[in-house]
Amino acid sequence: DDDCSGGPALRGRRKDGSEFPLEIAVNPAHAAAGPFVVASITDLTERQRAEAEQRAALEERLAFERAIAALSSQLINVPAEQIDDVIRQGLELTGDVVQVDRAGLIRLGPEGALRSSIVWAMPEVQPVDVSLLVSDRLPWTFEQLLSGEPVSFASVEEVPDEIDRKCYAAIGTRSLVALPMSVEGRVTAFIGFATNRSERAWPPEVRHRLNVIASVFAQVVARQQRDDALQAAMEETQRLKNQLHVENVFLRTEARDRLAPAEIVGRSQALRQVLAQAEQVASTDSTVLLLGETG
C-alpha cells in the first residue's frame, strides 16, 4: 500500500494482532557516549479516517452542487405543459442526493386546501397517500407551514401533536423535513423530504441543502402561479368579450324589431328606405329626425 504522500505505507501490529498504518520519524543525535538516533512512531489511523471523511464530505458537496446545477438548468424556460414532469424528475434527483426515501411538492389552494401534488418515492418504497395530507389529519404540521415555519423531526415522537403523530405513523413517515414556499407573502406550497425505512437526523449542512433545493422549486411554483393568473385573466377577457357580443346582437335585434315595418303605417319604397337608414344608426345613441309632409 501507499500512504497519502505517495510513498510506501508502513503497517504496525498491535498486541491483539490488528494492524494499523504508522509513520516513523528518525532523527540523529549526539551524546558523550557517541552518536545515536531518536525514532518516533505515530499511529495514522485517526488522521487517515479524518482525511477520508473530508474527501467524502467534499465529494458529497460537489455531487450536491452538480445536482442543483442540473436541476436549475432543467427548470429554466421549461414549457408550462412539462413543468410537472420536470419537477418530478427534480424530486428524484434531489432525493438521491440527500438520501431520503420519499419527496413531494404539495400545492395549496385557498385556506390551505390541497390543490395538487407531485410525489416521488424510491422503487422499493410505497408512495405517500396524498389524500391523507390534509389539515384535519395534520393540524400542527399545517399550522406551522401556513405560518411560514418549517417542520422537522428525526423521530415521530418529537411531534408535539398526537393527531399528527398518528397520521405520520399511518403513512409510514419516520423522519421528515417540510419547508413552506411563499409567493407574494402567502404560503402557496410546501416541499417535503422523508424517510420511512429508518430514522435519520437533519444536521445543519443537510438542512441548508434542503433550503437551497426548496428555493429552486419555489421559483417554479411562482412561475406556475403567474402563468395560471395570466391564463385566468385571458379566459375572463374572452368571457366578457363573448358576453358583450351576445348583448350587442340582442340590442341590434331589439332595435330592428322596434322599427319593424309592421309597426309603422306605410309600405312605400321611400318609407322602407327611411327605415333602413334609421336601422343603420339604431345601435348608437344618435337621434333620427324624420321629415315629410305629415311631419
Side-chain angles (χ1 to χ4, degrees):
D1 295 336
D2 291 337
D3 61 17
C4 58
S5 63
L10 299 177
R11 310 290 296 182
R13 189 180 301 274
R14 299 184 179 91
K15 291 182 178 181
D16 60 5
S18 62
E19 293 186 349
F20 64 95
L22 61 84
E23 180 181 70
I24 299 177
V26 179
N27 296 299
H30 297 274
F36 64 96
V37 294
V38 177
S40 61
I41 300 176
T42 304
D43 187 342
L44 301 180
T45 302
E46 292 301 322
R47 182 194 301 179
Q48 290 186 357
R49 180 182 296 114
E51 291 173 349
E53 290 176 353
Q54 291 177 353
R55 287 195 298 270
L58 177 60
E59 293 173 357
E60 184 178 351
R61 181 170 63 84
L62 292 176
F64 173 75
E65 292 176 353
R66 286 194 294 267
I68 289 298
L71 177 61
S72 300
S73 64
Q74 285 180 320
L75 294 174
I76 292 176
N77 298 325
V78 60
E81 64 274 10
Q82 298 179 13
I83 286 181
D84 285 1
D85 290 337
V86 174
I87 289 178
R88 189 173 292 103
Q89 295 171 10
L91 290 175
E92 179 178 0
L93 175 65
T94 55
D96 290 339
V97 171
V98 297
Q99 298 179 353
V100 295
D101 298 326
R102 298 189 297 207
L105 191 151
I106 311 299
R107 300 189 187 94
L108 304 176
E111 300 181 357
L114 180 64
R115 178 182 176 186
S116 63
S117 63
I118 304 174
V119 296
W120 163 86
M122 294 286 287
E124 63 273 20
V125 175
Q126 179 71 22
V128 65
D129 185 354
V130 181
S131 65
L132 300 178
L133 304 181
V134 293
S135 57
D136 291 342
R137 297 179 63 90
L138 295 166
W140 173 77
T141 300
F142 270 76
E143 181 182 0
Q144 289 287 106
L145 293 172
L146 291 176
S147 65
E149 295 296 326
V151 172
S152 173
F153 56 83
S155 170
V156 175
E157 298 304 319
E158 300 175 8
V159 178
D161 193 287
E162 183 180 359
I163 299 176
D164 291 61
R165 289 198 299 270
K166 290 182 178 179
C167 182
Y168 285 125
I171 62 179
T173 297
R174 302 184 66 176
S175 302
L176 171 76
V177 169
L179 303 170
M181 298 179 179
S182 300
V183 177
E184 297 180 353
R186 185 174 70 89
V187 176
T188 59
F190 62 84
I191 188 170
F193 303 90
T195 63
N196 70 331
R197 291 179 296 181
S198 62
E199 296 179 352
R200 67 162 296 175
W202 308 100
E205 62 271 17
V206 174
R207 291 287 301 273
H208 171 71
R209 291 173 183 175
L210 296 178
N211 282 318
V212 172
I213 293 170
S215 66
V216 173
F217 281 107
Q219 297 176 16
V220 182
V221 172
R223 174 190 165 185
Q224 278 190 311
Q225 289 192 253
R226 291 192 297 268
D227 291 345
D228 291 345
L230 178 60
Q231 181 64 30
M234 293 174 63
E235 291 175 356
E236 177 65 11
T237 300
Q238 185 61 43
R239 186 189 67 81
L240 294 175
K241 182 179 178 180
N242 294 339
Q243 180 179 348
L244 181 61
H245 175 71
V246 171
E247 292 176 353
N248 188 34
V249 171
F250 173 78
L251 292 175
R252 285 178 177 272
T253 302
E254 184 179 22
R256 183 170 57 251
D257 292 344
R258 288 183 179 181
L259 296 176
E263 299 179 8
I264 299 178
V265 178
R267 293 289 186 272
S268 67
Q269 177 63 33
L271 183 56
R272 287 199 296 270
Q273 182 178 357
V274 169
L275 293 176
Q277 292 174 344
E279 184 178 353
Q280 293 177 5
V281 295
S283 60
T284 70
D285 294 331
S286 301
T287 301
V288 177
L289 176 64
L290 301 180
L291 301 176
E293 295 179 358
T294 60

